[in-house]
Amino acid sequence: MTARTQDEKMTVKEVIADLKVAPSTFYRWRQLGKGPRAIKLPNGDVRIRRSEYERWLTEREDVA
């Protein structure tokens, strides 16, 4: 994975499609502080760095 790909910003739609979870589940995780760290843009949109998403997924593997 290149540095550019790792720094790519994913939309919430992309993340929930990859995880195959409902949007409400993703937002509940965020509310509980259990989701991946995200960037909130001035217009209210949320983005997740691919590197952060991958780190978060790896962390979940340790828990399972």
Side-chain angles (χ1 to χ4, degrees), residues 1 3-4 6 14 17 19 21 23 27 31-32 37-41 46-47 49 52 54 57-58 60 64:
M1 199 176 283
R4 181 180 176 139
Q6 285 185 331
E14 291 169 330
L19 293 172
V21 298
Y27 285 111
Q31 212 173 20
L32 296 171
R37 288 181 39 209
I39 302 163
K40 191 164 190 177
L41 302 175
V46 173
R47 298 288 185 276
R49 283 187 176 90
E52 168 58 19
E54 294 296 333
L57 283 177
T58 300
R60 305 282 76 74

Side-chain angles (χ1 to χ4, degrees), residues 11 15-16 19 24 46 62:
T11 64
V15 171
I16 62 175
L19 293 172
S24 59
V46 173
D62 294 341

Side-chain angles (χ1 to χ4, degrees), residues 13-30:
K13 191 179 251 187
E14 291 169 330
V15 171
I16 62 175
D18 188 60
L19 293 172
K20 296 176 179 61
V21 298
S24 59
T25 299
F26 178 79
Y27 285 111
R28 186 173 65 247
W29 290 345
R30 278 189 36 86

